[in-house]
Amino acid sequence: MRLLPIVFLFSAEVALAQIQAPALPGAPAISSSDRIYTGDQTSNTITVIKPSTYEVLGTITLGEGRLSNLLNPQYIKSVDSHGLGFSRDGKYINSISVTTNTLTVIKTLDNSIVSQTYVDRAPHEGFFSADNRTVWVATRGTNYVDIVDGIAGGIIGRVLCAPGPSKVLFSPDGATAYVNHIRSATLDIIDVKAHKVVHQITGLGDIFSSDMMMNAQGTIIWAAHKLAGKTSILDLETRTVVTVLETGAETNHPNFAIVNDITYAWLTVASTNETKVYRQDSPSSIPVYITAVRSSGIEPHGLWPSPDNTRMYVVNEHSDTVDVIDTANYTIIHTMRVGQEGQALVYVAGAVPSGHNGTQNLGVQGLGHRVENRVFSIEGHGNASTLLTVRNVNGLEMIQFIGRKLNGNTTYLASASCYECNGAQIPLLEFKGVNPNPMGCTTAGQVLGFTKFFDVYDINSVTVRPLENKVDRKVD
Ligand SMILES: *[C@@H]1O[C@H](CO)[C@@H](O)[C@H](O)[C@H]1NC(C)=O
Ligand SMILES: *[C@@H]1O[C@H](CO)[C@@H](O)[C@H](O)[C@H]1NC(C)=O
Ligand SMILES: *[C@@H]1O[C@H](CO)[C@@H](O)[C@H](O)[C@H]1NC(C)=O
Ligand SMILES: *[C@@H]1O[C@H](CO)[C@@H](O)[C@H](O)[C@H]1NC(C)=O
Ligand SMILES: *[C@@H]1O[C@H](CO)[C@@H](O)[C@H](O)[C@H]1NC(C)=O
Ligand SMILES: *[C@@H]1O[C@H](CO)[C@@H](O)[C@H](O)[C@H]1NC(C)=O
C-alpha cells in the first residue's frame, strides 16, 4: 500500500503531459477543439473532421486528384497524400506525400500550409518530436531518418539507421525515438539528443513493417507486418520481442486504448474487413485475443483513439469512410464519409482553440464521390480471390484489383460486360501476382486502371480468370 501514492503521482504527471492520444486515464474528454485528420491518397487531400459533432468540415488539398494533371511533366504540387503526424501542443499536423517526397506542415488553427520540404526518397510516416518544431521523417528509400525544421522548412539533420525506415515514434518523455523498417526485421532505438541509434531490437516477425504504434505508457510497441500478416509485440522495458502474432493478411495499423485500467491493442486487418482487439496486461505478457469489430466498410487502415479512451476512429480505405467505435462495447456508433482512399488517421486534441471555427482553407475535393467494392473468387484456382474497387475520380473511374492467394506465374485477365455489348465480356486489364510465399501463392498489391466505368460496364458482370496459356513474349 505504501507504494500506491507514488505510482499514482507518477501516472498523474504523465497524464498531464499527455494531452494527445493514446493517453492515460484522466485525459480530457472529446471537445469541440479537437480534430481528426485522414490522409486520402487518391483524392490527394487531408479530410478534417470535428469529432464532437461528427461533422466532416472539408478537405485540405495538396495537389490534384488521380488521374489528372499530376502526370503532366510540368506538375509541381504534391502527389499521394499518405502519412500523418502532429505536434504535442496540437498546433500543427505533418503530412507526407509519398510520390513527390514532400513533407507538408499545416497549422491546425486555419489549415494553412506553414512549410513544405522535399525530403529523401520514398518518405512514409513522420512525426513531430517533443519540441513541437522538428519533424522526423522515415524515408523508405534510404537508410536514414530525415530531421526537418517543421516551421522554417528544410532538412537540418539525418540519423543513420537500418535500411527502409518506415515510421518514427517518440517516447512520452521525448528522449527516445523508435524506427521500424520495410527492409530490416529490427526496431532501431535512437537517442534523440545524440541523433544516434543506441540499440537495436532484432528478430521481428518479418523484414517488412509498414506501421507500428506505442502505448500511452511508452512501454510496448506493436509493429505490424502487412505482407506477412503478422504483428511483432515488443517490450520496450526489456527491449525484447515478446511474441509474433499471426494477425491476418494485410494487417495494417495498431493503436491502443485503456478501458477500466486494462490496456487493449487494436489492430486493423484489411483483408477481413475487421479491427481486432487484444488485451495485454504487462509489457512482457503474451496478448490475449478479445474480439474483432466488423468494419462498416472495406479495408480498414489507419486508426486512432480519443484521449479519453472512449472512442476508436478507423478509416476504411476502400469505402472512403471513417467508423467511430465505442471502446466499451465494440459497437460502431457512427460512420462518416471522407476523402478517397484514406491511409493514415490521427486525432489531435486542442487543435482549434474555442472562439475559432477552424474552417478556413478547406474545400470539398474528394468528398461525396461514388465508390463500389466487390469480392470475387477465381474459379478452379484454389482459394484465389480478388477485391475490386471502383471509384469515381475526375470524370474517369479508377478500377483497382487486389489479388489474394493467386497462383505463382499465372496471368489473370479481368473483364466486364458493358451495358451495350449484348453480353460480350470486354477485357479491362491483365495482372500477375508478386511476392511469392513459401506455399507458392502470390498476391497482387494494387493493380490500377483508369477508364469510364460506371454507366458503361455492369460491375456485377466483372470476372477474373487465369490466362492458362499466356506466355510472356520475349522482346528481342
Ligand atoms: C510541446 O507541447 C507540449 C504540449 O503542449 C508541451 O507540454 C511542451 O512543453 C512543448 N514543448 C516545448 C519544447 O515547447
Ligand atoms: C469484405 O467486404 C466485402 C464487401 O462488402 C465482402 O464482399 C467481403 O466478403 C468482406 N470480406 C470479409 C472477409 O468479411
Ligand atoms: C455501447 O455503449 C454506449 C455507451 O457508451 C451506448 O450508447 C450504446 O447503446 C452501447 N451499444 C450497445 C450495442 O450496447
Ligand atoms: C470562420 O472564421 C473566419 C475567421 O474568423 C471567418 O472569416 C469565416 O467566415 C468563418 N467561417 C464560418 C463558416 O463560420
Ligand atoms: C482453401 O482454404 C481451405 C481453408 O483454409 C483449405 O483447407 C484448402 O486446402 C485450401 N485449398 C487450396 C486449393 O489451397
Ligand atoms: C515461376 O516460374 C519460374 C521459372 O519456371 C520458377 O522458377 C518459379 O518457381 C515459379 N514461381 C512460382 C511462384 O511458381
Side-chain angles (χ1 to χ4, degrees), residues 137 301 468:
V137 182
H301 195 142
E468 301 287 3

Side-chain angles (χ1 to χ4, degrees), residues 68-245:
S68 53
N69 204 27
L70 45 69
L71 290 185
N72 181 328
Q74 292 154 7
Y75 195 69
I76 57 165
K77 290 184 184 167
S78 301
V79 179
D80 275 347
S81 168
H82 194 108
L84 289 173
F86 53 82
S87 60
R88 292 178 179 194
D89 59 10
K91 290 187 176 147
Y92 306 104
I93 55 168
N94 62 272
S95 146
I96 301 287
S97 299
V98 292
T99 304
T100 45
N101 301 344
T102 326
L103 168 73
T104 303
V105 171
I106 293 163
K107 198 193 268 183
T108 52
L109 177 66
D110 60 7
N111 312 298
S112 62
I113 291 177
V114 175
S115 72
Q116 280 193 311
T117 299
Y118 298 104
V119 295
D120 287 301
R121 172 121 179 110
H124 178 243
E125 291 277 2
F127 227 93
F128 273 89
S129 70
D131 67 3
N132 305 314
R133 172 152 193 154
T134 47
V135 184
W136 291 43
V137 182
T139 49
R140 286 170 158 185
T142 72
N143 59 341
Y144 41 81
V145 169
D146 286 355
I147 303 177
V148 173
D149 182 336
I151 308 302
I155 297 174
I156 55 173
R158 288 186 176 95
V159 182
L160 274 177
C161 64
S166 193
K167 182 164 181 160
V168 188
L169 293 171
F170 292 91
S171 59
D173 67 5
T176 308
Y178 300 93
V179 177
N180 65 340
H181 306 269
I182 60 164
R183 291 199 308 278
S184 173
T186 60
L187 183 83
D188 290 353
I189 302 181
I190 298 171
D191 179 323
V192 169
K193 248 194 213 139
H195 290 188
K196 259 207 166 86
V197 173
V198 292
H199 193 85
Q200 203 177 44
I201 303 178
T202 58
L204 272 62
D206 190 34
I207 59 161
F208 186 99
S209 173
S210 217
D211 197 76
M212 62 169 176
M213 194 60 202
M214 190 193 311
N215 64 343
Q217 299 89 327
T219 53
I220 312 168
I221 277 182
W222 283 44
H225 305 295
K226 182 171 188 161
L227 301 181
K230 296 176 183 177
T231 302
S232 296
I233 315 306
L234 305 164
D235 177 348
L236 300 180
E237 293 178 340
T238 58
R239 298 185 165 176
T240 51
V241 177
V242 176
T243 188
V244 178
L245 299 177

Side-chain angles (χ1 to χ4, degrees), residues 311 326 328-329 331:
R311 302 283 181 264
D326 188 322
N329 55 22
T331 42

Side-chain angles (χ1 to χ4, degrees), residues 381-384 405 441:
H381 260 230
N383 292 321
K405 296 189 178 164
C441 284

Side-chain angles (χ1 to χ4, degrees), residues 245-327:
L245 299 177
E246 299 278 339
T247 46
E250 297 160 39
T251 291
N252 260 325
H253 290 200
N255 219 312
F256 294 90
I258 301 171
V259 178
N260 297 328
D261 290 324
I262 296 166
T263 297
Y264 293 93
W266 292 59
L267 190 65
T268 52
V269 182
S271 71
T272 50
N273 306 325
E274 62 191 351
T275 303
K276 290 186 171 169
V277 185
Y278 298 79
R279 72 180 272 179
Q280 191 177 4
D281 291 339
S282 78
S284 62
S285 60
I286 306 280
V288 177
Y289 175 76
I290 301 292
T291 191
V293 182
R294 182 70 187 259
S295 301
S296 76
I298 312 301
E299 298 249 334
H301 195 142
L303 80 173
W304 213 273
S306 55
D308 66 2
N309 289 289
T310 62
R311 302 283 181 264
M312 189 65 72
Y313 301 87
V314 182
V315 63
N316 297 307
E317 175 178 338
H318 285 245
S319 300
D320 306 342
T321 55
V322 167
D323 286 337
V324 185
I325 303 171
D326 188 322
T327 56

